[in-house]
Amino acid sequence: MIGLLLNENLPIRLTVALRQAGIEAKHVSDLGLNGCADLKVWSQSIQERLAVITKDSDYLDLVPASGEGQVVLVTVGNLRLNELIDHVVAKAELIAAFLRLRFQSARALGSQTRLAPMITLRVVEIGLGELPAYASVSTCFQITSRISLGALRSSGGNELREEPIEPSWKDYDALEPVTSLPSRWNLAHWGIFAAFDDDTRLGGAIVARDTQGLEFT
C-alpha cells in the first residue's frame, strides 16, 4: 500500500488522525528527518514507498520526469488546526486510492515501467451553474482493457492487474445530459465534483444520496 509521509509543516496530530482513519501515515519526526533538506526527505520517502504530503510547493520540482515518488500538495491556506485535520482526513481515502492505483498500474506493466509524469490533481465541488462546463468533457471512449477481478479478489483488494479485452466503445454522451438533472431530481443531497490538472478540466463525478425515487442497486 502507498502511504503518506507528512512534512514538518503539517502537524503530528494529523498523522494520528490519518492512522485512525485507516490510512498508513508517518511524520518526518518518526524517521528522524526534522530539519532535513527537502531532497533528503524526498529520497527517504521513495525508500519507504510513501508519498510526501506537504504545504511546500518546492517539492513539486523534485518529481522527476520518470514519475518516481509522489507529492500531495496541501493548498488550503491557513486553517485552524482542527479544520486542517478535518479537511485532509476527509480526502485521505481518495488520495490513498489514487496513489495506490498509480503504483499498481505501473507494477502491472512490468518492473521496468515508471509511473507517468505527475499531474497536479485538484478536485473541487462545483455548483449547478457549472453543469454545462462539467458536461463539456466527453464520456465517449474506447475500452481496450479491464482490471482482473480474480486478481483483485485473491489479493484481498491489494492487486490491480490490467488485462486486455476485445475493444468496445462506451458512449455515455448519448444518454440523458447532466444538464437535465435539476429538472428531474431534487439535488439537495447531491455532490458534484470536477477534477483539474492546473486549469485543464479532466473530468468529474456526481455523488447522489437520499433522493426520493432514485434507487441504487
Side-chain angles (χ1 to χ4, degrees):
M1 174 180 178
I2 293 288
L4 298 173
L5 177 61
L6 281 72
N7 198 17
E8 59 187 344
N9 53 32
L10 293 172
I12 294 177
R13 278 181 54 189
L14 176 56
T15 312
V16 176
L18 287 168
R19 291 171 181 165
Q20 291 174 342
I23 305 299
E24 180 185 351
K26 293 182 180 180
H27 195 271
V28 289
S29 59
D30 296 328
L31 303 178
L33 296 173
N34 273 344
C36 288
D38 293 349
L39 188 58
K40 173 67 174 177
V41 174
W42 176 255
S43 299
Q44 189 66 32
S45 74
I46 294 174
Q47 292 183 30
E48 298 280 337
R49 215 180 79 181
L50 299 171
V52 175
I53 179 168
T54 179
K55 297 177 75 173
D56 183 357
S57 61
D58 289 346
Y59 274 85
L60 297 179
D61 297 329
L62 297 176
V63 181
S66 65
E68 187 177 20
Q70 298 294 323
V71 174
V72 177
L73 185 63
V74 179
T75 59
V76 293
N78 294 323
L79 295 178
R80 294 178 179 177
L81 179 57
N82 288 338
E83 292 175 338
L84 174 64
I85 291 174
D86 290 343
H87 179 82
V88 175
V89 170
K91 295 175 172 55
E93 290 190 13
L94 177 63
I95 294 170
F98 175 72
L99 295 171
R100 178 178 168 186
L101 177 61
R102 285 171 59 80
F103 174 80
Q104 292 285 3
S105 296
R107 192 173 70 174
L109 293 172
S111 59
Q112 300 303 313
T113 302
R114 297 295 186 183
L115 293 174
M118 191 196 73
I119 62 173
T120 306
L121 183 67
R122 178 169 56 93
V123 179
V124 297
E125 188 167 6
I126 61 176
L128 296 180
E130 295 188 57
L131 280 177
Y134 177 100
S136 67
V137 178
S138 175
T139 52
C140 178
F141 50 89
Q142 186 180 38
I143 301 172
T144 58
S145 64
R146 66 185 177 188
I147 297 298
S148 170
L149 291 179
L152 188 64
R153 289 168 178 161
S154 63
S155 65
N158 290 318
E159 181 177 359
L160 296 176
R161 183 186 305 164
E162 190 176 10
E163 58 185 18
I165 61 173
E166 187 71 23
S168 62
W169 285 88
K170 289 284 188 180
D171 186 6
Y172 293 108
D173 291 341
L175 302 178
E176 177 184 5
V178 295
T179 50
S180 69
L181 292 177
S183 64
R184 289 198 56 196
W185 305 102
N186 179 0
L187 308 189
H189 300 294
W190 291 33
I192 306 171
F193 300 89
F196 297 86
D197 177 11
D198 290 330
D199 294 326
T200 302
R201 185 182 292 269
L202 301 178
I206 297 177
V207 180
R209 64 180 180 86
D210 300 336
T211 303
Q212 185 176 3
L214 186 62
E215 297 183 1
F216 299 90
T217 58

